[in-house]
Amino acid sequence: MLLQEKQKITSLQYFKGTFCWRKETEGLCEEAFGTKLRELKVIIWKMAEGGSVNMETLHESFKKFAAYGDTKASGNEMTGKNWAKLCKDCKIIDGKAVTSTDVDIVFSKVKAKTARIITFEEFKNALAELAPKRFKGRIKEEAIEAAYKLIAGKDPASIGVTKVMKAAAVDRLTDTSKYTGSHKERFDQGGKGKGKTGREDTIENTGYVGAYKGAGTYNEKAKEK
């Protein structure tokens, strides 16, 4: 099959800029020709796809996912949990070719033996392991580039959601108008706490029956008579 492809391609006058394909492959053994052929396929594929992924953009996305959930994190190292989140959010995990189990296995494979995190370089090694599984039928370089494109420029999917949910929960818990029972008695209509009066039952020696609405009016009525 390799020799048949050579016969079809030897007439091409393009390879790495100004080099003639025939000249580049002349006299090469089949193995060396296979390497050249793969290189050519990558070049043609990158031209068709509009170039390779900007590695700085990929690195930025790595740092955002690496720091997710930890305000003190530098973003230079990624935990297994955040690696799994990245693979899920960026659709590296498709549930068929690549599963969450595959992601965990690759993480353990590329990290240092006693480490619990991976660096950016180890992250790229992990993608190089998963990409051929995720993009079957493509040459390895093309598969890796496709995996990069799924990640570059992406942010963690739930940024901001946690804070909103927490704020809503706090609002519900602190809305005194929704309190019932003894808790309701601790606040006035404006939501201001009544202090000790709202927490404890007090006995008033006024001579009136408790909760009597006319309390304190006896002297006024006596004067009228």
Side-chain angles (χ1 to χ4, degrees), residues 177-189:
S177 67
K178 296 180 180 179
Y179 286 4
T180 59
S182 62
H183 297 293
K184 185 176 182 178
E185 301 301 324
R186 295 176 60 184
F187 301 89
D188 60 22
Q189 293 182 345

Side-chain angles (χ1 to χ4, degrees), residues 198-218:
R199 298 193 304 272
E200 299 178 3
D201 293 329
T202 57
I203 299 175
E204 297 180 1
N205 297 314
T206 62
Y208 291 93
V209 177
Y212 176 58
K213 295 182 179 180
T217 63
Y218 176 78

Side-chain angles (χ1 to χ4, degrees), residues 62-175:
F62 168 85
K63 290 194 288 186
K64 288 177 181 179
F65 277 95
Y68 178 77
D70 185 355
T71 56
K72 296 181 180 179
S74 65
N76 295 323
E77 299 171 333
M78 181 178 287
T79 63
K81 181 179 179 180
N82 288 26
W83 157 250
K85 176 175 177 55
L86 178 147
C87 289
K88 182 179 179 181
D89 287 359
C90 297
K91 303 188 186 306
I92 297 296
I93 294 175
D94 62 356
K96 297 178 181 179
V98 176
T99 65
S100 58
T101 301
D102 295 321
V103 166
D104 292 340
I105 291 172
V106 167
F107 181 84
S108 298
K109 182 177 180 180
V110 301
K111 72 178 182 65
K113 188 174 182 180
T114 58
R116 295 184 178 180
I117 49 83
I118 57 173
T119 63
F120 181 60
E121 289 303 316
E122 290 168 336
F123 163 76
K124 290 192 292 183
N125 291 340
L127 289 178
E129 291 280 341
L130 290 177
K133 289 173 63 68
R134 177 64 174 79
F135 299 97
K136 290 181 179 179
R138 302 191 189 186
I139 57 175
K140 186 174 182 178
E141 292 82 358
E142 181 183 351
I144 293 172
E145 197 78 10
Y148 287 175
K149 286 189 175 183
L150 288 179
I151 300 167
K154 301 296 192 305
D155 295 335
S158 56
I159 281 183
V161 173
T162 302
K163 291 184 179 179
V164 172
M165 290 177 64
K166 285 184 178 179
V170 171
D171 288 342
R172 288 196 299 273
L173 291 172
T174 56
D175 186 353

